């Protein structure tokens, strides 16, 4: 998603109809290109299969393809989100794809090609769009900011590119939201607008867990709650932060952090072993799943954080896990663990911490 599938389809539709193509590229200056860019060229038809997915919609196309294009050389049909077509619609389209008229081109765009019938896929040339690299996203954002006279820090660009996860459209959407605010676009502004906890808060709770400091961990949680941040997003940021600790331990340089935050990250990386970091990611990922199925997400979250900060609880849990893996008695001290967790949950329900 957001990698330019529909945009590329529109460019291709112009390219096959351009009166003066340049090395296969549309000139964007001839009458056909200008009409296509303005959206007034009736020979290029864009259909959203998400809202037009019935047999009748495809039959309308099947009836139209018999007519010659009015202006352009080819009548081009761009079917977006084609995987949303119903089974009947696919069957109705199949015959046209098998023997398309010489003056008709079909361009199918989808984020889920695995949902297309094999009979459709076998009759298409397939082009897989890959995630856009952070470097390319940043380059494009820099051009947009320069043309719009927007002042933005390098760190803010890195954050936006990372949040976009390879989708240029998402990156531009985040930037557009930031541009509505006055002044320079900074890292903290981006995080504030998209609801991401500050790196300082994530560092604080991660450090507290690694150092078994329950009081500081609960303090970090209270700060996040008071700021109105979503607890699930906070957990996801912690998981990513521990993952970054692992990356640093393998010698990776992370551009998403400023110099101060990177130094704080590196200090934690020096204090923790790879084995413990991996185990912590596993435990936090399990917590994420537990929270999804719980109606009391905050209670579950706080209870698990307290458990991770409790030396006795974690040691007992690790021992039981080891016994289970080696075929030993996995119920050793289980009653004590449940009793402790029950006390923690009762304490949290009473509004403690």
């Amino acid at each position: 998603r957001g990698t330019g599938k529909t945009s590329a389809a529109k460019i291709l539709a112009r390219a096959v109809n351009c009166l003066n193509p340049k090395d296969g590229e549309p000139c964007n200056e001839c009458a056909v290109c200008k009409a296509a860019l303005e959206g007034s060229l009736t020979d290029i038809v864009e259909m959203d299969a998400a809202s037009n997915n019935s047999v009748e919609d495809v039959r309308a196309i099947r009836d139209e393809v018999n007519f010659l294009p009015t202006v352009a050389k080819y009548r081009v049909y761009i079917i977006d989100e084609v995987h949303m077509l119903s089974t009947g619609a696919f069957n109705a389209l199949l015959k046209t794809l098998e023997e398309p008229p010489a003056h008709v081109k079909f361009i199918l765009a989808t984020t889920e090609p695995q949902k297309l019938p094999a009979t459709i896929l076998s009759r298409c040339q397939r082009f897989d769009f890959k995630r856009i690299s952070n470097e390319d996203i940043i380059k494009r954002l820099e051009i947009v900011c320069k043309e719009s006279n927007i002042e933005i820090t390098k760190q803010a660009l890195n954050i936006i590119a990372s949040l976009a996860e390879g989708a240029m459209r998402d990156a531009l959407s985040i930037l557009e939201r930031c541009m509505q605010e006055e002044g320079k676009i900074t890292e903290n502004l981006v995080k504030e607008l998209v609801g991401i906890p500050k790196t300082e808060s994530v560092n604080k709770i991660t450090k507290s867990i690694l150092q078994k400091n329950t009081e500081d961990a609960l303090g970090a949680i209270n700060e996040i709650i008071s700021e109105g941040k979503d607890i699930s997003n906070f957990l996801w940021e912690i998981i990513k932060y521990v993952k970054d600790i692992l990356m640093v331990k393998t010698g990776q340089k992370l551009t998403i952090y400023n110099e101060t935050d990177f130094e704080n990250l590196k200090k934690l990386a020096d204090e923790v072993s790879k084995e413990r970091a991996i185990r912590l990611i596993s435990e936090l990922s399990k917590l994420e799943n537990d929270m999804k199925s719980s109606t009391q997400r905050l209670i579950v979250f706080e209870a698990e954080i307290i458990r991770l900060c409790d030396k006795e609880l974690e040691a007992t849990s690790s021992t039981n896990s080891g016994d289970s893996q080696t075929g030993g008695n996995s119920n050793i001290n289980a009653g004590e663990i449940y009793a402790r967790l029950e006390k923690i949950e009762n304490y949290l329900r009473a509004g403690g911490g």
Side-chain angles (χ1 to χ4, degrees):
R1 60 181 179 82
T3 55
K5 295 181 297 300
T6 306
S7 298
K10 292 177 180 178
I11 294 171
L12 181 57
R14 293 201 307 273
V16 297
N17 285 314
C18 181
L19 300 178
N20 304 301
K22 300 175 182 177
D23 298 325
E25 298 288 337
C27 68
N28 295 330
E29 297 174 357
C30 67
V32 173
C33 284
K34 286 183 178 179
L37 289 169
E38 292 169 1
S40 59
L41 185 62
T42 57
D43 294 326
I44 296 178
V45 182
E46 185 177 355
M47 186 183 101
D48 179 18
S51 53
N52 302 280
N53 55 11
S54 67
V55 177
E56 289 73 18
D57 293 316
V58 175
R59 282 177 179 166
I61 293 177
R62 195 175 61 185
D63 294 337
E64 288 177 5
V65 297
N66 295 318
F67 298 102
L68 292 172
T70 55
V71 178
K73 182 180 179 181
Y74 296 102
R75 182 182 289 273
V76 182
Y77 288 91
I78 301 172
I79 305 180
D80 206 2
E81 302 297 341
V82 70
H83 66 275
M84 298 292 285
L85 289 179
S86 64
T87 303
F90 273 125
N91 291 334
L93 183 63
L94 184 58
K95 185 63 178 177
T96 305
L97 290 180
E98 282 179 337
E99 300 174 359
H103 59 272
V104 173
K105 303 287 184 186
F106 282 94
I107 305 176
L108 314 180
T110 179
T111 52
E112 301 186 55
Q114 72 279 2
K115 290 187 178 181
L116 269 64
T119 50
I120 297 290
L121 288 172
S122 64
R123 288 168 172 81
C124 298
Q125 289 186 8
R126 176 168 169 171
F127 302 92
D128 290 315
F129 283 51
K130 299 179 177 63
R131 286 175 48 152
I132 301 171
S133 68
N134 285 1
E135 292 77 12
D136 288 336
I137 289 178
I138 290 172
K139 287 178 183 177
R140 182 59 186 165
L141 294 179
E142 287 175 338
I143 293 173
V144 172
C145 290
K146 184 177 180 180
E147 292 178 348
S148 304
N149 295 320
I150 298 297
E151 194 175 1
I152 187 169
T153 65
K154 184 69 176 177
Q155 203 57 39
L157 288 171
N158 288 331
I159 292 289
I160 294 175
S162 178
L163 290 172
E165 296 183 341
M168 183 65 75
R169 182 176 60 231
D170 289 356
L172 293 172
S173 296
I174 296 171
L175 178 62
E176 185 178 9
R177 174 67 184 91
C178 295
M179 289 166 62
Q180 296 175 10
E181 303 295 324
E182 294 183 1
K184 188 175 185 178
I185 299 176
T186 62
E187 173 189 0
N188 287 334
L189 175 63
V190 175
K191 290 185 175 182
E192 181 68 27
L193 292 178
V194 299
I196 294 178
K198 294 179 181 178
T199 305
E200 292 88 342
S201 300
V202 180
N203 174 269
K204 181 178 180 181
I205 193 168
T206 306
K207 182 178 180 180
S208 302
I209 293 171
L210 295 177
Q211 296 180 350
K212 308 290 185 182
N213 190 327
T214 306
E215 186 176 348
D216 285 352
L218 292 177
I221 295 173
N222 286 335
E223 288 176 10
I224 291 299
I225 295 172
S226 64
E227 291 174 3
K229 298 292 189 295
D230 182 74
I231 202 69
S232 295
N233 288 342
F234 186 39
L235 174 58
W236 177 235
E237 290 301 315
I238 298 172
I239 294 173
K240 288 198 295 184
Y241 196 77
V242 179
K243 182 267 295 181
D244 289 340
I245 289 177
L246 272 175
M247 297 286 285
V248 170
K249 291 190 74 67
T250 58
Q252 300 292 322
K253 176 67 176 177
L254 304 176
T255 58
I256 193 174
Y257 297 99
N258 60 39
E259 189 174 340
T260 302
D261 290 337
F262 184 75
E263 284 302 316
N264 291 334
L265 181 74
K266 195 171 183 304
K267 287 179 182 177
L268 292 183
D270 293 337
E271 295 175 6
V272 67
S273 65
K274 289 182 182 179
E275 292 74 18
R276 190 178 177 203
I278 292 172
R279 188 169 71 249
L280 184 56
I281 290 175
S282 176
E283 291 170 331
L284 292 174
S285 298
K286 182 179 181 300
L287 170 60
E288 186 180 30
N289 289 329
D290 292 342
M291 287 173 59
K292 288 178 181 177
S293 59
S294 173
T295 58
Q296 300 292 335
R297 294 188 305 153
L298 181 58
I299 292 177
V300 174
F301 178 76
E302 288 186 313
E304 177 62 16
I305 295 301
I306 292 174
R307 187 190 71 79
L308 291 174
C309 292
D310 192 305
K311 296 178 182 179
E312 293 182 23
L313 275 174
E314 191 186 33
T316 306
S317 177
S318 298
T319 302
N320 288 341
S321 175
D323 289 341
S324 177
Q325 292 173 359
T326 56
N329 183 4
S330 61
N331 293 319
I332 296 175
N333 293 327
E336 182 182 350
I337 294 175
Y338 294 141
R340 281 175 172 266
L341 287 176
E342 187 176 1
K343 286 182 181 179
I344 292 170
E345 291 184 358
N346 290 337
Y347 169 73
L348 293 172
R349 286 194 184 97

